Amino acid sequence: MKKIKASTPGKLMLFGEHAVIYDRPCIVAAVDQRFMVTVEEIEGEEIVVQAPGVGMHDYRKKLADLGETRIPKGLRFVEETVRSFYEKHKNGGLRIKTENHFSSEFGFGSSAAVTVGLAKALHELFKVEILEHELFEFCYQVVLKVQGVGSGFDIAAALYGGVLYFVTGGKRIEQLKVSNLPIVVGYTGVKADTPTLVRQVAELRRQHPIRVERWFEEMTAMVEKAKRWFPQGEWFKLGKLMDENQEILKKLGVSSVELDRLTGAAVKAGADGAKLSGAGGGDCMIALVGEKKRRMVEKAIEAADGEVLKVKLGAEGVRIEK
Ligand code: MEV
C-alpha cells in the first residue's frame, strides 16, 4: 500500500517571544534537526501510531473514536491532525510512524514539526490539493485546539523553513535573506512548559497592563531593527539587541537561574550578546559569536553546566522524502 514520508525542521526563536502572542512580530529560524513522519494506508478502521520518541510503540485508536476518550500527552497533536483531516476527507485505516532527529526536550518545536509533517503527508497520501497558506491555517487550528495558546510561529518555521519575520497567527510571514548566522546554542537541561509560561505572562499583563505593553512595544522595535540587520549581517549590533531582549524577558519573569547562568557565561567569554530562546523557564539559550571566539563561548557554556547543541539555522521547510 502507498506510503508517504515527510520531514520538517525544528525551530529556534531569535527575537520577540511572548510579545508575538499579542499581535506583534518575532523572528524565528528553522534548524536542521529534522522530524520525520511516515503515513501508510492499512486495512481496517483504526490508526496505529509508532512514536518511540514519546514512548509510544503501538498505539491504536478506532477511527470512530478519534479525538474522544483519553489521548496520551505525546500523541495529542498526531491524533488531532488526523481527526481534523478525516473530518474533511473521510478515509480508512492508517499507520503513522514518527522519528525525531532531536530530543523533544530541547524545545525545538516537536509538536509543530509533527503537526506540519503529518498534515503535509496526509494531503499527499490522499492526493488532496492544498495551498501553503491553507496548510498553515490547518496546522495552526490543530495547535490551538490541542494547546489553547500559541502564535503559530513554530508552524511557520516547520512549513516554510529559513529565517522568518512572523506576526501572530501568520498575519505576516516574510522570508529574510540571512546567511551563515554565527549562533551558538546551549541547552539548560531543563524542559520548559510553554503553555504554563504563556499563561504566567498573560497574568502579569493582566496585573500590570501598561508596563507589560511598554515592554512589548520595546520588543517590537527590536524585532524591526533585527529584521533590517539580519540580511546586512550586522552581527555585533544584533548581539547587543539580544542582550536588550533578554533584559525584557527577565522583567517578564520567564528567564531562569540556568538561563541566566548560561547567557552570562557566554557574554563573559566574548559573545556579542545572548538571550533565552522560546518560552523561557528552561530549554535553550542562544548567543551571537564571531568565529574566533566561538570555541571559547562553547567551553564557557559547558563549564556553566550547559550542553552545546550543534545546529545549523535557516534549514529547509517541510519536504516529502523519497
Ligand atoms: C515559545 O517558543 C514562544 C512563545 O512566544 C509562544 C508562541 O509564540 O507560540 C512564548
Side-chain angles (χ1 to χ4, degrees):
M1 278 203 172
K2 209 173 152 203
K3 231 189 212 183
I4 296 285
K5 184 172 188 175
S7 81
T8 44
K11 57 80 190 156
L12 271 173
M13 179 69 99
L14 301 183
F15 286 99
E17 47 273 269
H18 288 287
V20 67
I21 298 270
Y22 302 94
D23 250 328
R24 287 182 162 85
C26 73
I27 293 181
V28 56
V31 298
D32 64 347
Q33 307 293 298
R34 296 189 83 81
F35 200 95
M36 307 288 173
V37 183
T38 308
V39 290
E40 184 184 8
E41 283 180 89
I42 54 170
E43 299 293 336
E45 289 292 305
E46 63 176 3
I47 62 164
V48 180
V49 186
Q50 293 160 336
V54 289
M56 289 287 156
H57 298 279
D58 188 36
Y59 174 77
R60 286 163 190 267
K61 187 84 169 263
K62 294 246 169 307
L63 295 179
D65 296 338
L66 281 179
E68 286 172 15
T69 66
R70 284 197 10 200
I71 305 170
K73 194 162 180 259
L75 293 185
R76 286 191 299 198
F77 291 88
V78 167
E79 192 164 324
E80 181 53 29
T81 304
V82 179
R83 196 204 61 76
S84 299
F85 182 86
Y86 275 31
E87 191 177 65
K88 293 197 186 91
H89 315 286
K90 180 99 188 78
N91 264 292
L94 203 62
R95 175 175 293 118
I96 301 166
K97 275 191 207 157
T98 64
E99 293 161 71
N100 294 20
H101 280 183
F102 56 91
S103 162
S104 41
E105 301 286 299
F106 293 156
F108 283 162
S110 49
S111 310
V114 73
T115 303
V116 172
L118 179 54
K120 176 80 178 173
L122 286 173
H123 284 84
E124 198 78 18
L125 183 72
F126 296 117
K127 296 196 168 33
V128 178
E129 286 195 16
I130 185 160
L131 297 172
E132 263 187 340
H133 75 270
E134 292 168 340
L135 191 57
F136 172 85
E137 200 47 42
F138 174 92
C139 296
Y140 186 40
Q141 289 311 319
V142 169
V143 168
L144 289 183
K145 183 107 199 280
V146 175
Q147 204 170 259
V149 289
S151 64
F153 83 106
D154 43 2
I155 293 286
L159 186 58
Y160 298 103
V163 179
L164 302 173
Y165 171 86
F166 175 91
V167 178
T168 323
K171 288 192 192 81
R172 280 176 72 185
I173 304 177
E174 289 174 35
Q175 197 66 251
L176 303 182
K177 282 202 175 66
V178 188
S179 44
N180 303 326
L181 204 70
I183 274 189
V184 170
V185 181
Y187 176 56
T188 56
V190 179
K191 175 82 195 104
D193 182 49
T194 300
T196 304
L197 287 144
V198 168
R199 277 192 283 274
Q200 191 182 305
V201 172
E203 180 54 24
L204 188 72
R205 184 170 172 267
R206 201 186 59 74
Q207 286 175 12
H208 306 285
I210 296 172
R211 198 184 306 170
V212 172
E213 282 300 314
R214 194 182 65 237
W215 291 336
F216 286 168
E217 273 312 302
E218 287 171 18
M219 263 207 234
T220 300
M222 289 175 200
V223 171
E224 296 302 334
K225 280 186 196 163
K227 184 187 180 203
R228 271 187 281 125
W229 291 344
F230 271 119
Q232 295 167 355
E234 292 277 12
W235 310 130
F236 182 74
K237 286 187 186 170
L238 285 160
K240 296 298 150 216
L241 212 52
M242 281 194 176
D243 288 342
E244 286 176 36
N245 196 157
Q246 173 66 8
E247 283 312 308
I248 297 186
L249 291 163
K250 277 189 196 168
K251 290 185 205 163
L252 285 172
V254 296
S255 197
S256 68
V257 175
E258 294 82 6
L259 285 164
D260 290 348
R261 192 168 63 229
L262 299 195
T263 50
V267 171
K268 204 162 162 221
D272 293 333
K275 64 183 278 294
L276 66 86
S277 169
D283 288 350
C284 289
M285 51 70 69
I286 50 176
L288 258 172
V289 193
E291 201 42 52
K292 283 197 195 119
K293 296 191 179 145
R294 189 182 185 93
R295 195 58 210 123
M296 295 277 283
V297 170
E298 288 177 348
K299 277 190 184 156
I301 289 173
E302 282 162 358
D305 287 338
E307 183 185 345
V308 173
L309 303 177
K310 303 280 181 193
V311 297
K312 285 215 174 65
L313 279 71
E316 191 188 342
V318 65
R319 65 172 182 241
I320 298 297
E321 301 286 339
K322 297 289 165 230

